[in-house]
Amino acid sequence: MSQSQGSHNPTSSRQKPSIVFGDKDNRQSSLISVFLRSARYEGRFLLHNSWDYVMLLWLPLLTILGTWWIFSKPYIVDVPIGVIDDSKSSYSRTLTRFLDTSPDLKVEQIFQNSADAQAAILDQQVYAVVIIPHDFSEQLNKGKPAPVVLKVNAQYGTHSGIVQKGVQTVVGTLSAGAEMKRLVKQGAHSEQAKVSYSPIGIERISLFNIGANYQQFLASTVIPALLHILAMVIGATTIGREIRDKTFSIWYHTMIYPDMPYPDFKTLKHVPPEQKLAALHANLHPSWQMPVDYQSLKQQTYRKDNQLTTTAFSLKDANYRYRLNLNKSAKPRMPTKVSILALVVGLNGKLIWALLFYMLWGGLMVMLAVTVHPASLTAMLMVFVAFVALMMVSLWLGAIFTLTSYSLRMGLSSTGFVSAPSFAFAGVTFPLMAMSEGAQRWANALPLTHYLKVHLSQLQMLAPTSVALPTLIGLIIAVAVTLVIAALLCLRAFKNPQRWGAR
Amino acid sequence: MSDLPNKDKKYSNDPHPSSKSNITHARFFDGFLGTLASIFKDKGVLLMLVIAPIIYGFFYPWPYRSEVVKEIPVGVVDYDRSELSKTITRYSDASPNLSVQPYASEQQALNAMYQDEIAGYLIIPSHLESDVYANKPAHVSVLGNNSYFLLNKQIQMGFTTAIGTVSAGVEIKRDVAKGAYFNNAEAGTQSVPLRIDPLFNRSEGYGAYVVPAVAILILQQTLLMGTALLIGTWYEKKQQNATILGWLGRILALGTVTFGMACFYYGWVFSFQNYPRGHNMLGSLLFMALYTPTVATLGCFLGMWFKERERSMQILIFSSLPMFFLSGYPWPVTQLPEPLQYVRWIFPSTSGMNASVQLNQMGASLTNVSSYIIHILALWAIAFILLNWIQYRQIKRQYHGR
């Protein structure tokens, strides 16, 4: 119990709170009530702070639908290219026509010289130029190789990849045709010629995402990456603003004292952060500002113990302890004991809205993904659970970042630093195995990398669930670990109230 | 609480009527020097505008150091176990793209793929050798995991080249056996060979493709957040208002700091990473000199709108990825739904990334990117009008005590 908190001069009391584990005496309410009060506290805040509400509803909704919409034409077609036809023969015209009919390409322009072509590439009118040499048809007629040159703007990597694939296919077809013609001319049967021109045929099969669907490849993996960023920001903000406004202990008190009124967030909304605490103290409900009747307290103690006691102010009732602390200053009123169990439950309550909303978004995301590529119910469930775990880890990580620095701004900076490029490290666009060892280690430390493994193996590769199970368990363990770390950091924050309010 | 209305007023942002037009920066140089001083005094702004771009200069290219994927682990399921199948396996393993592991069955190879141990596999059917030498149709199958586009492309290419070489060898042998000259036979294997000549990004490196564009996005985002952070902080302290000249001074100061960071990217990061660069350095710098004030102006507007120090980060951190995809750089513009083809012009990065890459990496001239320059100038004008409008509205509201 308190030593000096219930002292005669409550305003001067500033001792470090002691930490207890699941101490019921210190809590005035059950853990369920702590959870609900913390949730109501945050709910009331959200009702009056539209920007924070936007982070839960409109921004993620816009992000998901927007990303899905960006990739709504999921197969890249008709990349504009140019042709320089120096041959001007029927062969070269056939090649040009083949190029234009290829679904990948569109022959935008026939250039007369390379200077025009160069300018068009720099202007981004075309992304590649196919050069057909002047002796193209003669060489083919002679049965000699007639090389074609593809100059492609490799700076635009996606465009370049599609162009290369398209031109290769077209030229391959033309080449095979010419080859077979030659063999037939030499007296082979056409069927025989087919075998003969390429003794070992290659059947190319792209598994899982057969037609190179970018909605499936990019949109479905970018959406969880974006939600991961948003969730981390919410985690950082939700805890961070209490530290910034020095209202951290008010939140704690509100959730553990069932009769403490909730702050008036509507009024508080217009108060600058530095003045929030003082405003909160001043605006606290009058019943909490009433001087405590010490006489009656003494009597109570007397009656209970059935004997006279001198320790009239060693108050067992935490409510009274809190009320005695009547400073309306900008110094936070600190709890004398902080219960780690109450903190764990309270943190969950505070972030429950974010979690509920983002579970909804997770559901939407999985539904969208399976419209492109159907998956089994178990696979969907696995991905959903992994997603919820990812969201919880993100929320706790955000909280951890602010709590380690005691500053919302630093928390958000670190959040941005870690989460914004996490998609680049996740190994979807650029393979993990090609990264350096250090980069791989960083990638493996990011929760998104592991989530996307579950996502890809279950929703795209339709792998057996056993493949993703260890990763899923790992994510769930990460939830527990990050939650405990966040709660421990909250305890540390209670020990260092002088550091609150950093901007 | 509701029964204390006077307290409500006391803590609201309404200043006293006397302070209705508290202009902090009235003159151009006040704005310029005052802003520069604030940037370097405020740890948060300094971190955003200077430290973050420097750290990102190392951090973002980090995963792409190796540029081209080599030695991708792949499987070979050899049901033939002949000389020919062994040759195919050997040639595949010799390919710089691939590193081959044998698997006894297709199922085993598939399981290995599920575990991410391999990224694809080759199936050599039984009787391949006998079919080939009997002039019967024969084929092998390459199965790549297309959940990873880049890996699959490299695998298909690696196997195709290796098998093509073996196949050509068989064909030459066959032709020579028929009495053709070796040279003629060799030439006949491919009637229309294709020579691919990659321009600009000659090594076709992934980092060289992604990082130069993302670098501009990094500069934009840090400048937007840093500026909005600073103006938001000023708003809290009621120092946000300035005259038109004052704002111009502020914008120039903010733009100059990020312009310096752009020089760091153009001059150092790209050359350290050995990306193609510097083809039109003067043009790049000129463009950047227009780009950074535009972004700073937008940042000022956002700061006045958000009114709080930390808010800009909260709202903007996630926005880089959508901006990247809307720019037309990694995803072709023509693939975007039509409304989004207009929406993308809201962001300066759309012009910033394309123009910078065209000038610096491709060596385009300023005329090539003139439409982007016009966009940036127009965007600046719009942002500046918005900025002055929002300040006017806020002062008016304060004056009327609302």
Side-chain angles (χ1 to χ4, degrees):
Chain A
M1 259 299 310
S2 60
Q3 310 93 335
S4 61
Q5 179 67 21
S7 69
H8 301 269
N9 184 8
T11 45
S12 69
S13 62
R14 285 193 59 79
Q15 95 281 24
K16 290 198 171 173
S18 55
I19 307 303
V20 288
F21 187 83
D23 163 42
K24 198 169 179 313
D25 281 348
N26 190 51
R27 276 184 282 114
Q28 298 296 303
S29 40
S30 66
L31 284 175
I32 297 208
S33 159
V34 165
F35 176 83
L36 291 176
R37 284 189 63 84
S38 184
R40 278 194 73 182
Y41 177 97
E42 187 65 19
R44 281 162 171 262
F45 174 86
L46 288 172
L47 278 182
H48 294 292
N49 288 269
S50 42
W51 275 123
D52 294 82
Y53 183 64
V54 161
M55 294 290 292
L56 299 187
L57 180 64
W58 298 115
L59 218 46
L61 189 62
L62 190 79
T63 302
I64 295 174
L65 298 181
T67 309
W68 203 251
W69 200 27
I70 289 176
F71 296 102
S72 58
K73 292 183 196 165
Y75 303 100
I76 300 183
V77 289
D78 288 341
V79 179
I81 62 164
V83 172
I84 298 180
D85 183 1
D86 285 337
S87 164
K88 294 194 174 62
S89 58
S90 65
Y91 274 124
S92 70
R93 278 190 286 275
T94 308
L95 177 56
T96 310
R97 204 176 59 242
F98 276 17
L99 287 171
D100 198 33
T101 46
S102 156
D104 300 316
L105 312 166
K106 189 174 91 186
V107 177
E108 183 86 21
Q109 226 174 321
I110 310 280
F111 296 108
Q112 296 310 315
N113 54 52
S114 57
D116 287 357
Q118 170 96 9
I121 283 183
L122 290 179
D123 267 341
Q124 278 184 328
Q125 288 168 7
V126 297
Y127 289 91
V129 176
V130 175
I131 302 171
I132 308 172
H134 65 96
D135 58 351
F136 187 64
S137 61
E138 290 94 76
Q139 289 287 94
L140 273 181
N141 283 333
K142 279 188 216 155
K144 281 184 178 170
V148 166
V149 178
L150 169 67
K151 293 215 176 250
V152 57
N153 181 351
Q155 187 59 48
Y156 280 69
T158 316
H159 304 68
S160 157
I162 300 288
V163 168
Q164 291 190 29
K165 189 187 106 199
V167 176
Q168 251 166 354
T169 314
V170 167
V171 170
T173 313
L174 193 81
S175 188
E179 189 76 9
M180 271 156 65
K181 231 183 191 172
R182 182 175 66 86
L183 287 167
V184 171
K185 258 189 203 161
Q186 286 172 3
H189 288 291
S190 64
E191 197 49 39
Q192 192 58 46
K194 209 174 188 177
V195 177
S196 190
Y197 104 85
S198 179
I200 309 172
I202 304 169
E203 188 189 22
R204 295 184 186 197
I205 302 167
S206 293
L207 292 172
F208 312 131
N209 188 349
I210 298 150
N213 180 324
Y214 275 79
Q215 206 163 35
Q216 192 185 341
F217 167 63
L218 265 184
S220 93
T221 48
V222 163
I223 289 172
L226 285 165
L227 293 176
H228 163 65
I229 301 174
L230 287 173
M232 265 182 88
V233 167
I234 291 173
T237 316
T238 308
I239 310 299
R241 63 160 186 268
E242 306 285 359
I243 298 277
R244 178 195 66 187
D245 302 343
K246 302 188 189 174
T247 52
F248 198 51
S249 52
I250 296 241
W251 161 66
Y252 186 77
H253 286 131
T254 311
M255 69 185 193
I256 62 166
Y257 300 145
D259 49 348
M260 186 164 169
Y262 294 102
D264 176 11
F265 288 112
K266 198 177 175 185
T267 316
L268 268 181
K269 190 186 161 188
H270 303 288
V271 178
E274 303 88 57
Q275 297 164 24
K276 277 210 165 102
L277 184 68
L280 254 176
H281 282 172
N283 284 359
L284 204 59
H285 194 270
S287 73
W288 283 78
Q289 294 181 11
M290 218 75 92
V292 176
D293 181 357
Y294 300 122
Q295 208 55 44
S296 72
L297 276 175
K298 214 181 240 172
Q299 278 172 359
Q300 271 182 352
T301 328
Y302 178 71
R303 274 189 207 137
K304 225 178 208 172
D305 298 342
N306 228 348
Q307 57 175 349
L308 211 72
T309 166
T310 46
T311 57
F313 295 116
S314 70
L315 301 166
K316 291 247 192 281
D317 189 336
N319 280 9
Y320 282 122
R321 287 207 308 274
Y322 191 83
R323 290 182 192 198
L324 278 171
N325 194 353
L326 279 175
N327 61 332
K328 290 184 182 180
S329 71
K331 275 183 186 164
R333 300 182 200 182
M334 299 300 293
T336 46
K337 284 187 180 177
V338 183
S339 156
I340 190 164
L341 216 57
L343 264 180
V344 166
V345 172
L347 280 172
N348 273 297
K350 203 164 172 27
L351 286 160
I352 191 68
W353 305 113
L355 192 63
L356 287 176
F357 268 106
Y358 279 73
M359 280 168 83
L360 196 68
W361 307 139
L364 176 63
M365 176 197 80
V366 173
M367 293 321 285
L368 284 176
V370 295
T371 55
V372 182
H373 195 244
S376 71
L377 212 61
T378 350
M380 283 159 70
L381 196 70
M382 288 280 280
V383 173
F384 184 72
V385 174
F387 176 80
V388 173
L390 172 74
M391 288 302 107
M392 290 181 86
V393 171
S394 315
L395 293 170
W396 302 134
L397 274 181
I400 287 169
F401 282 141
T402 14
L403 284 166
T404 39
S405 59
Y406 293 99
S407 151
L408 172 56
R409 177 188 54 79
M410 266 316 285
L412 286 170
S413 290
S414 337
T415 291
F417 179 75
V418 169
S419 65
S422 60
F423 186 69
F425 280 90
V428 175
T429 49
F430 189 76
L432 208 58
M433 55 180 84
M435 293 178 200
S436 68
E437 216 175 300
Q440 274 191 37
R441 227 173 280 142
W442 175 261
N444 280 320
L446 297 171
L448 184 69
T449 314
H450 300 284
Y451 165 77
L452 284 178
K453 260 185 202 158
V454 178
H455 184 109
L456 285 174
S457 79
Q458 296 302 306
L459 290 189
Q460 297 215 8
M461 297 164 64
L462 306 178
T465 37
S466 58
V467 170
L469 211 56
T471 319
L472 188 64
I473 292 168
L475 276 169
I476 292 169
I477 292 171
V479 172
V481 171
T482 44
L483 172 58
V484 169
I485 294 175
L488 289 175
L489 284 168
C490 281
L491 290 182
R492 190 181 75 133
F494 275 118
K495 284 185 174 173
N496 297 292
Q498 75 284 354
R499 294 194 57 184
W500 298 0
R503 301 301 294 276
Chain B
M1 306 296 289
S2 50
D3 54 335
L4 300 162
N6 56 332
K7 280 179 178 130
D8 179 4
K9 202 163 175 68
K10 188 176 161 194
Y11 291 107
S12 74
N13 271 326
D14 298 352
H16 301 293
S18 58
S19 62
K20 66 179 154 103
S21 59
N22 43 354
I23 299 284
T24 313
H25 297 137
R27 285 177 308 173
F28 181 81
F29 276 103
D30 288 350
F32 183 76
L33 296 174
T35 306
L36 271 188
S38 301
I39 290 170
F40 287 93
K41 260 188 262 166
D42 188 326
K43 260 196 302 186
V45 181
L46 193 69
L47 181 76
M48 261 299 153
L49 288 187
V50 182
I51 317 273
I54 293 178
I55 294 176
Y56 264 113
F58 295 97
F59 185 66
Y60 196 81
W62 190 29
Y64 312 131
R65 263 332 290 249
S66 55
E67 287 284 348
V68 185
V69 197
K70 285 183 194 129
E71 298 290 321
I72 304 166
V74 289
V76 168
V77 185
D78 183 359
Y79 291 125
D80 196 31
R81 296 174 187 286
S82 60
E83 271 312 307
L84 187 66
S85 73
K86 277 176 198 153
T87 312
I88 291 176
T89 309
R90 206 173 57 243
Y91 271 60
S92 304
D93 200 26
S95 155
N97 284 344
L98 309 175
S99 158
V100 169
Q101 283 150 26
Y103 288 93
S105 72
E106 224 186 309
Q107 191 53 46
Q108 278 184 20
L110 197 63
N111 282 340
M113 186 135 88
Y114 286 147
Q115 303 284 356
D116 268 340
E117 286 162 15
I118 54 170
Y121 53 91
L122 173 76
I123 302 176
I124 303 174
S126 49
H127 310 302
L128 178 82
E129 190 181 54
S130 52
D131 282 350
V132 165
Y133 290 121
N135 270 4
K136 282 190 199 161
H139 68 83
V140 295
S141 306
V142 179
L143 296 95
N145 183 353
N146 211 30
S147 301
Y148 303 95
F149 283 5
L150 201 69
L151 280 183
N152 187 32
K153 191 184 143 199
Q154 300 286 88
I155 291 166
Q156 301 282 6
M157 225 166 74
F159 274 128
T160 306
T161 318
I163 295 157
T165 315
V166 178
S167 185
V170 173
E171 199 189 343
I172 291 167
K173 256 192 219 159
R174 215 184 253 169
D175 283 0
V176 171
K178 278 193 210 151
Y181 283 115
F182 185 77
N183 276 349
N184 271 358
E186 199 180 35
T189 56
Q190 178 84 324
S191 300
V192 189
L194 178 68
R195 204 185 87 208
I196 297 176
D197 187 4
L199 302 172
F200 314 122
N201 177 6
R202 294 195 161 274
S203 62
E204 298 193 77
Y206 190 80
Y209 149 52
V210 166
V211 177
V214 172
I216 305 304
L217 196 58
I218 291 169
L219 291 175
Q220 168 182 300
Q221 295 297 85
T222 50
L223 179 56
L224 270 184
M225 284 192 260
T227 305
L229 183 88
L230 180 68
I231 306 294
T233 313
W234 281 350
Y235 192 99
E236 287 177 13
K237 295 180 187 164
K238 301 196 177 70
Q239 296 171 354
Q240 78 276 24
N241 292 334
T243 60
I244 286 185
L245 279 178
W247 275 115
L248 288 174
R250 288 174 172 182
I251 288 163
L252 187 69
L254 289 158
T256 305
V257 172
T258 296
F259 183 81
M261 287 299 112
C263 294
F264 166 73
Y265 277 89
Y266 284 142
W268 194 82
V269 174
F270 296 161
S271 78
F272 179 74
Q273 303 290 347
N274 206 16
Y275 298 153
R277 65 196 175 275
H279 291 302
N280 185 352
M281 192 45 97
L282 212 64
S284 307
L285 291 177
L286 199 75
F287 179 80
M288 208 26 85
L290 299 175
Y291 182 68
T292 50
T294 302
V295 177
T297 313
L298 267 176
C300 290
F301 169 69
L302 290 178
M304 292 291 274
W305 187 22
F306 293 150
K307 301 175 187 169
E308 198 185 293
R309 181 170 166 83
E310 294 89 355
R311 186 72 76 199
S312 59
M313 301 166 74
Q314 192 191 346
I315 307 289
L316 292 177
I317 284 177
F318 89 104
S319 61
S320 333
L321 269 172
M323 285 180 190
F324 186 57
F325 288 124
L326 282 174
S327 70
Y329 188 75
W331 183 245
V333 188
T334 47
Q335 293 293 120
L336 289 174
E338 210 188 322
L340 290 182
Q341 296 191 15
Y342 298 105
V343 167
R344 71 195 200 103
W345 294 111
I346 296 173
F347 314 115
S349 48
T350 299
S351 283
M353 287 160 54
N354 283 298
S356 171
V357 164
Q358 273 177 269
L359 293 165
N360 192 36
Q361 270 69 37
M362 291 164 55
S365 68
L366 284 172
T367 24
N368 290 127
V369 298
S370 55
S371 57
Y372 294 136
I373 293 177
I374 292 168
H375 169 236
I376 289 299
L377 288 174
L379 209 55
W380 177 80
I382 294 169
F384 196 69
I385 291 168
L386 277 177
L387 172 63
N388 282 290
W389 168 76
I390 200 169
Q391 175 179 292
Y392 168 77
R393 215 184 62 157
Q394 284 170 0
I395 291 176
K396 209 172 97 178
R397 271 194 180 182
Q398 285 167 6
Y399 182 63
H400 290 300
R402 228 205 68 72

